[in-house]
Amino acid sequence: MRLSSTTIASLPRQVSRFEYDRDAQAVGIVHFGIGAFHRAHQAWYTDRAMDAGDRGWAITGVSLRSPAVASRMLPQDCLYSVTERSSGAASARIVGSVRDVLVAEAEREALAARLAAPGTRIVSFTITEKGYCRATDGSLDHDLAGTGTIYPLLAEGLRRRMAAGGTGLTLLSCDNLAANGRQLARLLGDYCERHDPALGRWIAARCSFPATMVDRIVPATTPADLAGVERLIGLRDEAAVLTERFSQWVIEDRFAAGRPRWHEVGAQLVDDVASYETAKLRMLNGAHSALAYLGLGRGHRFVHEAIADAEILAIVLRIMVDEAAPSLEPGPGQDLAGYAETLLARFANADLRHELRQIAMDGSQKIPQRWLETLAFHKARGNTCPGLLTAMGAWLAHLRGDPALVSDPFAEQARGLWQAAGEERFAEAMFGAQGPFAASCPADAFDLRTITAALRQIGR
Ligand code: CS2
């Protein structure tokens, strides 16, 4: 039997669930990118905030590309379970905050109407790094920012809102970009500048773009996971997500038209998220990408296997503790040594079965904020970063390897650079002063030699 609003009553008592009247909740949030991460994170916080007494923050989820999530969620009345797994134990909660799912291109009209609706007060995003359509220097790539991306869809809906004399709203980026709120404001501003400057002015005057740091490890759900959830909850849930117990959400408290009481269910509302965001990007995500490329290079499949490999552990510790942490300015009460310890324990969670391939995806979009900013910091002070340089070599080995295993919008260009430059000069072609990443951090001769040595060793 499938999970739905009819069958929910038959769930075993140990499966926790919301108690609010779901049908009575108005939609307050439109969320772009209704994938596993959003379902295990922001939608889960919003569900618990409504359960704690807040009202009227139901979510319209938007799929930008495939109708797959809609076809999993709609037959279940958009109900789904979040299962937390650690130390062999699993506990599930049914989440009721998602009201409906729209498939963007097929339902443009409904989406524009929802964005313009007076009840919509927050538009949030988990569209991955590449969803923002940035060129390697970080500017908006106008050729990419067309049909199928957030830009024309937002412009259409917000234009309608503006024309109807509607209020401004909050645009909340929940992706792993440095200063994600500011970047979204800038990129959307650039888009409007070209296509509709009056709308750009309306957005700048009426809307806000708080920065956020989001954190929860959410591996892609597998068929075996779905079978496990079915055993746990007694119902088939095609939209189930599995995650760790840990979860963190730090949000800049600058909302144009109100927000759910997320702070009552564990989110931290602060004046400035920068210190949390940078620590997370450089330490957690930086270590993750290193684990992915070093781990795959050494034949591992999962994060917990890679972190148990002593050689990889040594490099990851170096990156987190000796390279990333000293590049950060901790905020009040932020303990970076403790943070590194917690991260190691989270990476070691074997119940998560987090595939390295999932993290290895889209490296070109991730590496500038995860690695190159740390490298640039140390370079300015005359320090070297052997851990990061080794990881960069591992990334090059990955890009040069079996094309079927490389998923990255930059893959073809990287392959072209590799074919033209050969092993000896591939590092220079990528990270040297003329390379595509020069704006983030041009590597010097020492760096290039170290990266090349790592590439040689890993590629053997
Ligand atoms: C990972 C992140 O796939 C990746 O690149 O590094 O998705 C990571 O699991 C999350 O940011 C954790 O909060």
Side-chain angles (χ1 to χ4, degrees), residues 10 33 55 88 104 141-142 182 186 196 198 205 252 290 335 374 446:
S10 70
R55 291 289 178 264
D141 184 331
H142 284 277
R182 267 213 312 283
R186 172 177 58 80
D196 189 343
E252 235 170 49
D335 162 19
T374 304
F446 170 84

Side-chain angles (χ1 to χ4, degrees), residues 242-295:
L242 294 99
T243 183
E244 57 183 340
R245 284 203 199 297
F246 181 92
S247 164
Q248 194 178 10
W249 195 8
V250 191
I251 315 167
E252 235 170 49
D253 204 359
R254 291 194 298 111
F255 285 76
R259 59 163 171 82
R261 299 208 293 264
W262 285 319
H263 60 284
E264 288 182 10
V265 290
Q268 295 158 262
L269 276 297
V270 299
D271 290 336
D272 183 3
V273 304
S275 61
Y276 296 94
E277 185 184 70
T278 326
K280 194 244 168 179
L281 285 169
R282 295 187 194 170
M283 292 178 71
L284 187 159
N285 297 115
H288 248 176
S289 290
L291 282 162
Y293 303 120
L294 292 161

Side-chain angles (χ1 to χ4, degrees), residues 176 214-217 280 285 288 354 358-359 366 370:
N176 289 322
V214 293
D215 189 7
R216 196 167 213 192
I217 295 174
K280 194 244 168 179
N285 297 115
H288 248 176
H354 193 191
Q358 186 180 342
I359 303 169
K366 297 174 174 175
R370 295 181 179 201

Side-chain angles (χ1 to χ4, degrees), residues 22-286:
R22 204 172 165 239
D23 296 334
Q25 304 313 312
V27 170
I29 301 175
V30 173
H31 182 82
F32 284 84
I34 176 87
F37 183 74
H38 173 69
R39 304 208 294 283
H41 196 275
Q42 304 95 48
W44 174 82
Y45 279 90
T46 305
D47 173 67
R48 289 179 310 119
M50 289 202 283
D51 220 16
D54 210 353
R55 291 289 178 264
W57 288 107
I59 300 169
T60 288
V62 182
S63 268
L64 278 171
R65 281 167 304 167
S66 104
V69 178
S71 65
R72 285 167 179 266
M73 293 191 72
L74 294 176
Q76 307 184 173
D77 307 312
C78 297
L79 290 170
Y80 66 94
S81 58
V82 173
T83 299
E84 297 174 1
R85 288 207 285 210
S86 75
S87 319
S91 58
R93 175 178 175 86
I94 307 298
V95 170
S97 52
V98 180
R99 159 59 55 86
D100 53 2
V101 179
L102 300 175
V103 182
E105 287 307 327
E107 291 171 285
R108 279 189 87 120
E109 173 56 36
L111 174 56
R114 200 33 79 73
L115 288 168
T120 301
R121 284 166 288 162
I122 296 176
V123 182
S124 53
F125 306 85
T126 48
I127 52 177
T128 80
E129 295 85 345
K130 74 175 166 230
Y132 292 83
C133 309
R134 295 168 308 156
T136 46
D137 68 359
S139 63
L140 182 71
D141 184 331
H142 284 277
D143 296 335
L144 292 179
T147 310
T149 73
I150 55 168
Y151 298 104
L153 298 167
L154 283 175
E156 198 172 324
L158 295 181
R159 196 177 295 124
R160 212 181 268 203
R161 196 175 177 98
M162 172 176 83
T167 55
L169 40 66
T170 302
L171 293 118
L172 190 67
S173 166
C174 299
D175 282 293
N176 289 322
L177 307 179
N180 50 12
R182 267 213 312 283
Q183 288 215 50
L184 176 59
R186 172 177 58 80
L187 295 162
L188 183 58
D190 283 358
Y191 180 86
C192 290
E193 185 63 41
R194 178 170 294 192
H195 297 277
D196 189 343
L199 176 64
R201 285 192 294 277
W202 183 85
I203 293 173
R206 311 278 178 104
C207 297
S208 72
F209 295 82
T212 59
M213 183 276 247
V214 293
D215 189 7
R216 196 167 213 192
I217 295 174
V218 187
T221 309
T222 65
D225 291 333
L226 292 182
V229 169
E230 189 167 354
R231 283 193 295 278
L232 186 70
I233 70 171
L235 291 173
R236 183 73 183 172
D237 175 7
E238 293 288 344
V241 286
L242 294 99
T243 183
E244 57 183 340
R245 284 203 199 297
F246 181 92
S247 164
Q248 194 178 10
W249 195 8
V250 191
I251 315 167
E252 235 170 49
D253 204 359
R254 291 194 298 111
F255 285 76
R259 59 163 171 82
R261 299 208 293 264
W262 285 319
H263 60 284
E264 288 182 10
V265 290
Q268 295 158 262
L269 276 297
V270 299
D271 290 336
D272 183 3
V273 304
S275 61
Y276 296 94
E277 185 184 70
T278 326
K280 194 244 168 179
L281 285 169
R282 295 187 194 170
M283 292 178 71
L284 187 159
N285 297 115

